[in-house]
Amino acid sequence: IYGMEPPDSSVQSPDLVSLELTVENVETALQQLYYDPDMEHKNVAQKWLTQAQTSRQAWQFCWPLLSPDKLPEIQFFGASTLHTKISCHWADLPTDQHQTLRMQLLSHISHFSSGPKMVLTRLCVALASLALHTMPQGWPQAVADMVRVYQPEKEEVNAHAQCLALLELLTVLPEEFQSCRLPQARRAQLREALAGEWTAVCPLLRQLLQRQEGNSQVKEQALRCLSSWVGLNFPLHGESEGLLQDCFAALSDPELFDTAVETIVGSISQPDCQRYTDALVNLMPLVLGLHDQLKAAARDGDMETSHGICRIAVALGETHSRTLLEQVEHWQGYLALVNMILFCTGIPGHYPVNETTSSLTLTFWYTLQDDILSFEEDKQVVYLQVYRPVYFQLVDVLLHKAHFPSEQDYTSWSSDDKEQFRIYRVDISDTLMYVYEILGAELLSKLYDRLGRLLMDTERPAAWQDTEALLFGFQAIAETIDVNYSDVIPGLIGLIPRISISNIQLADTVMYTIGSLAEWLADHPMMLGNVLPMVLQGLVKAELSVSSVSTLKRICRECRHDLAPYTHDIMTVSQVSVTIRFTNSQCMWLMQGLGFLLSALPMEEILGSLTTLITPHIQRLDTLAHQEPSPTAKLSIIHILGMLSSLFTTLDISRQDEGSEGTTPAQARPNPVVVVLQQVFTLIQTILSKWLSDSEVVEAVCGVFERSVKTLLNDFAPMVQQLSEMLGQIYSAFPQASALDLTRQMVHIFAGEKDHFSPIQALIELVTSTTLSIFQQEATAPKLP
């Protein structure tokens, strides 16, 4: 706010509560609101002014506030008050005063046409609200009347201001309609009335946009006005179609380019446009006519221009894909539009540093593919003949766009740029998955042939980015598509060991590609020896910890019945890595993978391997249990207990039935997890004796048993008595949610078992009595005032 003189700080602010509603007092309150340093005084002024706007006197005092001699902020409050009264208190105004109010507003808008802009806009919004209250019966042809009243006069300066005022009024009218609350029937009536008024707006906008000597400011406002009316779904034919074509002409003016793009995109993105097929077909040459401008912008690095033209092409091609596909007599035009969008997808530069356009096009390729595959089979054949070659080109473009930059350039990128590039590659991966729906197995064959040529060419070693991009393509497809029947996967598995890994990004992609093929490896276990050594090598490299652990976990889950020859190596490398290299979450993933691995071992080997795996961690836990409590000890205890929980989540010997026959039933011998838990039970009790009041440590302890119970089910039976007693001790001493959750799990599984009914019953009684005593204490506790 500007223009007002700050009050003399030595003068005490008036008591607004007792003031009458007069023009002078409103001005005083505004001065207090804007300039009084005391926030309490500002709040009082704000409340008083709000009440003033809702009072019946506001119909009278708002007009003096709009006097030419008043400051802009006072005039603005007067205009805002008018809008408040008209929009919220219309019923207070007698019907015979509607005409007078309308004429006053028309007159004031004319007077304020030269500014201030904020006052003019509020007056226009007020008149728009009045029009919506009175159309169509009280004010038929409202828009036509507005156009007639503000016909520009001969004086050039005044004509310019009057024209802008008229455009402002026409712009806010649909906006006010969209934002105001109306009953459904009244909204439908007004929408129909406004649609009828479009015949007065459209010729005016065309006239202004076609002026050769026209002022850019006027043309820009005309474009904004059209954007405002677009939401009313005017018919896209005749003069309306011509108006949209006029918008394309505005793209050649740099000052109008951005606004014209927004207007065109908003117009052709309306689903209702699909009813006007001829108009859409007529728009294609206009969009294609922008191709040269697009190429020049891409060549010159003009991101704004290329971005804008791409938005227009995608808006037409994506929103109306099926409609335009059905216009078979214009198939060459739509194919040209598709190729134009393909150019946008492959626009030069690395996203997001050198360009931000290509990402706009990715959903288009899914839409086009989906529409093609939705046709009847005979039509599909025809469309696929035309568009399959385009999709093969698209694969080349996408893999090129997925290329990492040089290591020097990538190092210079900000963390935000790297994250955007990562998300962009995920979007490309999704797009490749959809592309496979059209190209099928031939796509994998072409990727394999290219990779083979790259790796076999010893005279011209390939850049690592080329190899990485092809593997990225394989991974994107294998992650979601069943490739078990592909005849190129054996060759791919054979090629992977030939890759010279000299870069972290390439190594990560190799790992993730192997992981994506885990299900295939389960059906072809003889190929595990080709890739598993690479995964184990990755485990000992800190920079590959995420991808290598993820891949090993997937292999252990899918291929566990075929990993016996590699168990020793996996266990050895994992034990070394888990103690020195991995983050907390990576340790949990690795333990889950090892749980799958151990589950498939012969019964007589599981306990020994399990003991070997966890002994170092149990020894460390024993040391911590006898130390004085400290934050460092607490974190270590929770970490080790978390690893045990993760391991016991997946160590399920009942899975052995899935991969072998004739094995000894699990019931014939104690479950290895139960044996281990019985051995460490005293140690866990020692930990609880020192950490019983710490909910996080108790939660970690309960987590070990809860995961074990969920996995083992009835095999957990030997520990029901011990665990029930321990849970009762925990809950009676320090009632905690984690103990209740574990109790619920125990009740769910064992309450119906006759042999375990007694300890479960005792546990329930103890938990219930403890909980009731807590409620009783709270009920009798004195209430705070």
Side-chain angles (χ1 to χ4, degrees):
I1 300 298
Y2 54 89
M4 271 189 152
E5 291 294 331
D8 186 345
S9 59
S10 64
V11 178
Q12 187 174 3
S13 297
D15 181 9
L16 289 175
V17 177
S18 60
L19 291 182
E20 297 181 20
L21 288 175
T22 64
V23 174
E24 294 75 15
N25 289 338
V26 168
E27 293 186 42
T28 300
L30 286 169
Q31 189 177 54
Q32 182 171 316
L33 174 65
Y34 295 140
Y35 290 106
D36 195 313
D38 190 317
M39 282 304 300
E40 187 175 344
H41 290 170
K42 286 180 178 289
N43 291 336
V44 170
Q46 177 71 53
K47 183 177 180 180
W48 188 87
L49 288 167
T50 301
Q51 291 174 342
Q53 282 188 315
T54 61
S55 69
R56 298 186 70 90
Q57 297 96 308
W59 289 108
Q60 285 75 44
F61 73 65
C62 61
W63 298 109
L65 296 177
L66 289 165
S67 297
D69 59 333
K70 300 297 183 183
L71 294 171
E73 52 268 41
I74 293 176
Q75 295 170 335
F76 178 79
F77 182 78
S80 296
T81 300
L82 266 174
H83 176 239
T84 299
K85 297 303 294 181
I86 294 171
S87 60
C88 302
H89 304 276
W90 179 251
D92 295 344
L93 190 69
T95 305
D96 58 2
Q97 295 183 25
H98 291 179
Q99 176 74 12
T100 303
L101 178 60
R102 182 207 309 174
M103 299 310 297
Q104 285 179 294
L105 277 170
L106 288 169
S107 175
H108 276 76
I109 288 173
S110 182
H111 290 152
F112 280 95
S113 61
S114 297
K117 178 66 161 54
M118 62 179 184
V119 181
L120 173 64
T121 300
R122 295 313 296 170
L123 288 171
C124 289
V125 173
L127 182 57
S129 183
L130 183 148
L132 295 176
H133 277 297
T134 55
M135 292 173 63
Q137 293 88 355
W139 192 2
Q141 298 183 325
V143 173
D145 288 348
M146 295 174 189
V147 173
R148 185 173 58 256
V149 168
Y150 296 115
Q151 279 294 337
E153 300 176 4
K154 295 182 179 180
E155 295 83 358
E156 185 176 343
V157 175
N158 189 49
H160 174 68
Q162 290 283 319
C163 187
L164 287 174
L166 173 59
L167 289 172
E168 181 72 14
L169 179 55
L170 296 178
T171 301
V172 301
L173 179 59
E175 293 173 350
E176 182 72 3
F177 167 73
Q178 300 286 11
S179 63
C180 67
R181 295 181 180 180
L182 294 167
Q184 186 173 0
R186 175 61 178 162
R187 180 171 293 277
Q189 182 188 36
L190 275 177
R191 181 181 290 277
E192 183 180 352
L194 287 171
E197 297 282 4
W198 174 244
T199 56
V201 178
C202 184
L204 173 67
L205 298 182
R206 291 208 68 184
Q207 175 190 349
L208 295 175
L209 288 175
Q210 290 176 357
R211 283 183 180 174
Q212 296 299 319
E213 74 289 351
N215 182 286
S216 291
Q217 188 180 7
V218 170
K219 289 187 176 183
E220 182 174 7
Q221 188 60 47
L223 290 168
R224 295 187 189 280
C225 182
L226 173 55
S227 294
S228 180
W229 282 81
V230 159
L232 300 178
N233 294 327
F234 55 79
L236 190 60
H237 59 68
E239 194 141 30
S240 299
E241 182 183 347
L243 175 59
L244 190 53
Q245 293 172 358
D246 293 336
C247 296
F248 277 85
L251 291 169
S252 60
D253 186 339
E255 293 184 24
L256 300 177
F257 181 83
D258 290 341
T259 308
V261 167
E262 294 295 337
T263 303
I264 293 170
V265 170
S267 299
I268 61 181
S269 295
Q270 296 296 318
D272 192 59
C273 292
Q274 293 177 0
R275 295 192 293 130
Y276 308 102
T277 304
D278 291 342
L280 294 175
V281 170
N282 293 336
L283 284 175
M284 280 201 295
L286 295 175
V287 177
L288 294 173
L290 301 171
H291 204 164
D292 289 341
Q293 188 179 355
L294 171 65
K295 290 179 179 178
R299 183 186 62 244
D300 299 337
D302 183 353
M303 293 173 61
E304 288 76 14
T305 300
S306 58
H307 197 84
I309 294 176
C310 177
R311 287 183 61 200
I312 293 172
V314 170
L316 180 61
E318 183 175 339
T319 309
H320 308 293
S321 171
R322 187 178 181 88
T323 301
L324 294 174
L325 280 170
E326 290 173 337
Q327 311 312 305
V328 291
E329 67 275 18
H330 299 286
W331 69 271
Q332 290 175 310
Y334 188 56
L335 178 60
L337 179 63
V338 170
N339 279 305
M340 182 177 175
I341 296 173
L342 180 63
F343 177 86
C344 295
T345 306
I347 204 160
H350 276 104
Y351 182 96
V353 175
N354 310 116
E355 63 91 8
T356 56
T357 298
S358 58
S359 62
L360 301 175
T361 67
L362 298 182
T363 55
F364 162 77
W365 297 108
Y366 166 71
T367 301
L368 178 60
Q369 165 252 318
D370 197 45
D371 285 336
I372 289 174
L373 297 181
S374 70
F375 284 109
E376 298 80 6
E377 188 172 348
D378 56 336
K379 289 185 178 181
Q380 266 190 47
V381 173
V382 177
Y383 285 120
L384 288 174
Q385 286 179 343
V386 175
Y387 289 102
R388 271 174 61 89
V390 178
Y391 272 89
F392 275 117
Q393 293 179 58
L394 174 64
V395 171
D396 293 339
V397 168
L398 291 175
L399 294 181
H400 180 73
K401 295 298 293 184
H403 271 55
F404 278 91
S406 68
E407 293 187 54
Q408 182 178 358
D409 288 345
Y410 191 66
T411 303
S412 69
W413 284 15
S414 68
S415 57
D416 184 57
D417 287 338
K418 291 178 180 177
E419 176 61 12
Q420 287 191 56
F421 183 60
R422 184 194 68 79
I423 296 171
Y424 176 67
R425 279 170 52 100
V426 171
D427 292 339
I428 288 178
S429 174
D430 292 341
T431 307
L432 287 170
M433 177 186 69
Y434 298 133
V435 168
Y436 184 86
E437 296 295 325
I438 274 189
L439 301 182
E442 189 178 352
L443 170 58
L444 291 177
S445 297
K446 287 186 177 294
L447 292 177
Y448 172 68
D449 290 343
R450 287 179 58 184
L451 183 62
R453 289 196 299 270
L454 277 179
L455 297 179
M456 297 299 184
D457 190 344
T458 55
E459 296 182 3
R460 294 180 299 172
W464 69 264
Q465 289 95 335
D466 295 333
T467 305
E468 192 279 336
L470 287 169
L471 285 175
F472 172 77
F474 270 112
Q475 179 211 338
I477 296 167
E479 284 286 1
T480 51
I481 304 297
D482 183 4
V483 296
N484 283 358
Y485 303 103
S486 171
D487 56 0
V488 304
I489 302 301
L492 174 62
I493 295 291
L495 285 176
I496 285 178
R498 301 178 63 94
I499 297 173
S500 176
I501 300 179
S502 57
N503 174 277
I504 294 174
Q505 285 82 20
L506 175 57
D508 269 336
T509 303
V510 169
M511 290 296 167
Y512 287 127
T513 303
I514 295 172
S516 70
L517 298 172
E519 290 186 30
W520 185 91
L521 288 168
D523 292 335
H524 306 82
M526 72 291 297
M527 304 297 286
L528 279 167
N530 288 45
V531 293
L532 193 55
M534 298 181 70
V535 178
L536 296 181
Q537 290 171 17
L539 278 179
V540 299
K541 297 179 181 178
E543 63 272 17
L544 298 180
S545 58
V546 175
S547 58
S548 59
V549 169
S550 171
T551 298
L552 181 62
K553 177 184 172 182
R554 295 179 73 170
I555 289 176
C556 288
R557 182 182 65 211
E558 303 298 337
C559 311
R560 56 184 177 272
H561 299 300
D562 302 295
L563 290 177
Y566 312 101
T567 299
H568 176 75
D569 291 342
I570 294 173
M571 296 285 287
T572 302
V573 174
S574 298
Q575 284 180 286
V576 173
S577 301
V578 78
T579 57
I580 59 175
R581 297 186 183 278
F582 293 157
T583 64
N584 185 66
S585 59
Q586 290 159 14
C587 288
M588 305 309 155
W589 297 342
L590 183 58
M591 281 298 187
Q592 289 174 13
L594 295 178
F596 287 121
L597 177 67
L598 293 175
S599 298
L601 291 178
M603 277 297 301
E604 61 273 12
E605 296 180 19
I606 294 179
L607 183 58
S609 298
L610 176 60
T611 303
T612 301
L613 174 63
I614 67 173
T615 294
H617 305 296
I618 299 301
Q619 291 173 344
R620 172 64 177 153
L621 195 61
D622 185 62
T623 302
L624 293 166
H626 292 88
Q627 292 178 359
E628 289 301 313
S630 68
T632 303
K634 172 182 172 178
L635 290 176
S636 298
I637 289 171
I638 292 175
H639 175 70
I640 294 172
L641 292 173
M643 288 200 298
L644 293 177
S645 296
S646 298
L647 179 64
F648 296 158
T649 299
T650 55
L651 207 172
D652 183 5
I653 61 174
S654 66
R655 296 175 181 269
Q656 293 206 354
D657 297 336
E658 301 173 13
S660 56
E661 298 178 2
T663 56
T664 304
Q667 292 79 3
R669 64 182 73 204
N671 190 288
V673 173
V674 172
V675 174
V676 169
L677 287 174
Q678 288 174 328
Q679 291 173 351
V680 301
F681 197 81
T682 303
L683 173 57
I684 289 177
Q685 288 180 312
T686 303
I687 292 171
L688 286 174
S689 68
K690 292 188 176 182
W691 294 93
L692 189 56
S693 61
D694 190 300
S695 61
E696 292 178 285
V697 174
V698 174
E699 183 178 355
V701 169
C702 291
V704 174
F705 290 102
E706 187 172 8
R707 300 285 181 87
S708 303
V709 170
K710 285 182 177 178
T711 303
L712 302 183
L713 300 176
N714 290 325
D715 285 356
F716 190 81
M719 292 207 67
V720 171
Q721 179 76 38
Q722 285 176 288
L723 184 56
S724 296
E725 292 174 359
M726 188 183 80
L727 273 175
Q729 294 166 3
I730 292 174
Y731 195 76
S732 59
F734 287 96
Q736 296 179 33
S738 55
L740 274 180
D741 290 337
L742 180 52
T743 299
R744 180 179 57 189
Q745 197 70 37
M746 294 278 286
V747 171
H748 178 68
I749 296 174
F750 295 108
E753 300 287 336
K754 181 179 179 181
D755 294 342
H756 307 298
F757 183 79
S758 179
I760 294 295
Q761 180 184 22
L763 175 60
I764 285 293
E765 290 175 353
L766 192 151
V767 167
T768 303
S769 63
T770 302
T771 305
L772 285 174
S773 67
I774 295 172
F775 291 161
Q776 289 169 355
Q777 289 171 11
E778 291 182 353
T780 58
K783 300 296 186 292
L784 292 174

